[in-house]
Amino acid sequence: MAAPASNVEIEENIEASAYGEDPDSAYDSEVASYTTSITSTITNYKEENGRRYHAYKDGKTERLDIMHKLTEVTLGGKLNLAPIPENPKRILDIGTGTGIWAIEMGDKFPEAEILGNDLSPIQPRWVPPNVRFEVDDVEDDWTYHQPFDFIHCRMMGNAIHDWPKLHRQCFEYTKPGGWVEFIDLDVTWVSPDGSLKETNAIKRFNSEFIKMSRENNIESCPGLYLEGWMKDAGFQGVQVEKFVWPVGTWPKDKHLKEIGAWNYLQIMQGLEGFTYALFTRRLGYSKAEVEVICANVRKEMKDPKLHAMYHLHVAYGQKPESTTATS
């Protein structure tokens, strides 16, 4: 469980002067010291504003492997927190992205059938024999012929229009006694020391992004509501764990510092990707205007005096044993 924002300690004496004459490059080098290079192959994409989107339906494909690593570091190397059985037979990964989580689960549970779905086939061709992928829209009505022992859904904020329906379908297609785990964000940026002001470009961008997402029937902070949606769907024993995601390496705690480095990296790599779609399609911004916004955000992210963070929520629950299985 994460400490409250006010309890996250800041490493002392971090100032721009500590990074020499080129603080931007020095800060990026410090982040690089905590991270490694990750590449992913993305096929069959469409381009809009010079960015890549899903070919089947529009959606972000950037940052997925980095996000997997970031989540893995956050959870202490675990692939899930739900206490699933040692011998699950069927596992579903909703919005599998590059398929990295499904592949690792396939290696961990070689006797289980692992299915990952996504809006486009960007997964590798060579995978464990018990892992397969399919192109599917998870918001359509599900038609699986057998239920699952474990359903995993991660980082689907800004992708789902009807979260209660998704939870109901997860409940329907989970075996009695089976588990479901949702992992998602509350992307409201805060700071433990008040260094993030409403006048900051980052805060203005963050507030506008959340506001306009909601006005377009998209919840960009689903982590806040996962517990309620799971309980409403019928899951029992719902547990929620909340983790701090710093932006950058400013925390004193070494684990949070590593999380912050990975988080900084994924935001820097994906900023334009998740900004262009909303700001140009929905708000009428030009590409040049979005580039100015992103440049201002990037500049503030490299300011060591700015201590920004937001939160990851992990919610998991069990389908009651007495519920009749879907067949």
Side-chain angles (χ1 to χ4, degrees), residues 24 81 97 129 142-143 185 196 203 212 215 228-229 237 239 269 308 322:
D24 286 357
L81 296 184
W142 294 8
T143 57
L185 297 166
L196 183 63
K203 189 60 178 178
M212 297 312 301
E215 289 182 1
W229 287 330
Q239 300 292 317
Q269 290 202 3
S322 60

Side-chain angles (χ1 to χ4, degrees), residues 265-302:
L265 180 63
Q266 68 89 9
I267 295 172
M268 282 295 195
Q269 290 202 3
L271 183 59
E272 287 83 3
F274 56 72
T275 303
Y276 278 127
L278 178 65
F279 278 64
T280 59
R281 296 179 199 169
R282 303 298 185 184
L283 301 183
Y285 281 60
S286 68
K287 181 181 178 182
E289 288 173 325
V290 174
E291 288 175 348
V292 170
I293 293 172
C294 291
N296 289 333
V297 169
R298 289 177 184 277
K299 181 179 180 181
E300 288 192 352
M301 283 180 59
K302 295 183 179 185

Side-chain angles (χ1 to χ4, degrees), residues 37-272:
S37 176
I38 294 180
T39 59
S40 61
T41 300
I42 299 174
T43 60
N44 297 328
Y45 59 83
K46 138 185 180 180
E47 287 197 356
E48 181 176 313
N49 293 314
R51 307 301 299 175
R52 299 172 184 175
Y53 295 94
H54 282 297
Y56 180 61
K57 289 186 180 178
D58 291 345
K60 298 180 290 292
T61 56
E62 302 285 345
R63 314 163 16 252
L64 298 180
D65 284 339
I66 295 176
M67 289 293 283
H68 173 76
K69 177 64 177 182
L70 171 55
T71 307
E72 181 182 62
V73 171
T74 303
L75 302 185
K78 298 178 180 178
L79 291 171
N80 58 278
L81 296 184
I84 63 175
E86 295 181 0
N87 58 342
K89 301 301 181 184
R90 281 172 55 83
I91 296 174
L92 174 64
D93 185 27
I94 296 173
T96 194
T98 63
I100 188 170
W101 184 90
I103 291 169
E104 291 187 11
M105 287 294 279
D107 288 334
K108 183 177 181 180
F109 299 105
E111 301 301 318
E113 176 189 355
I114 316 291
L115 172 64
N117 62 32
D118 205 279
L119 291 176
S120 65
I122 63 172
Q123 302 79 33
R125 294 179 176 86
W126 298 99
V127 299
N130 60 326
V131 176
R132 65 184 179 91
F133 301 109
E134 64 179 14
V135 175
D136 195 13
D137 186 344
V138 72
E139 294 207 273
D140 290 341
D141 291 337
W142 294 8
T143 57
Y144 300 115
H145 298 295
Q146 298 179 56
F148 297 90
D149 297 280
F150 181 42
I151 297 179
H152 173 262
C153 180
R154 184 175 71 180
M155 304 303 175
M156 294 293 280
N158 289 316
I160 301 298
H161 290 83
D162 191 342
W163 281 95
K165 177 184 176 181
L166 176 60
H167 282 75
R168 291 193 299 269
Q169 294 208 99
C170 286
F171 185 84
E172 180 181 356
Y173 284 87
T174 301
K175 291 181 180 178
W179 292 85
V180 169
E181 180 168 301
F182 283 86
I183 302 178
D184 229 302
L185 297 166
D186 169 14
V187 295
T188 305
W189 287 34
V190 295
S191 60
D193 60 348
S195 58
L196 183 63
K197 311 291 186 183
E198 294 295 331
T199 54
N200 283 111
I202 289 177
K203 189 60 178 178
R204 294 198 306 270
F205 164 78
N206 179 240
S207 299
E208 187 73 4
F209 185 88
I210 294 172
K211 175 185 175 184
M212 297 312 301
S213 295
R214 288 171 174 166
E215 289 182 1
N216 286 277
N217 196 31
I218 293 291
E219 180 51 65
S220 56
C221 301
L224 293 170
Y225 311 106
L226 295 176
E227 180 179 10
W229 287 330
M230 292 193 73
K231 289 180 177 179
D232 290 345
F235 292 101
Q236 65 180 13
V238 177
Q239 300 292 317
V240 180
E241 298 191 36
K242 181 179 176 183
F243 301 89
V244 168
W245 270 15
V247 181
T249 57
W250 55 264
K252 182 177 181 180
D253 179 85
K254 291 183 178 180
H255 185 226
L256 289 179
K257 191 180 289 290
E258 182 181 4
I259 293 172
W262 283 107
N263 196 24
Y264 173 92
L265 180 63
Q266 68 89 9
I267 295 172
M268 282 295 195
Q269 290 202 3
L271 183 59
E272 287 83 3

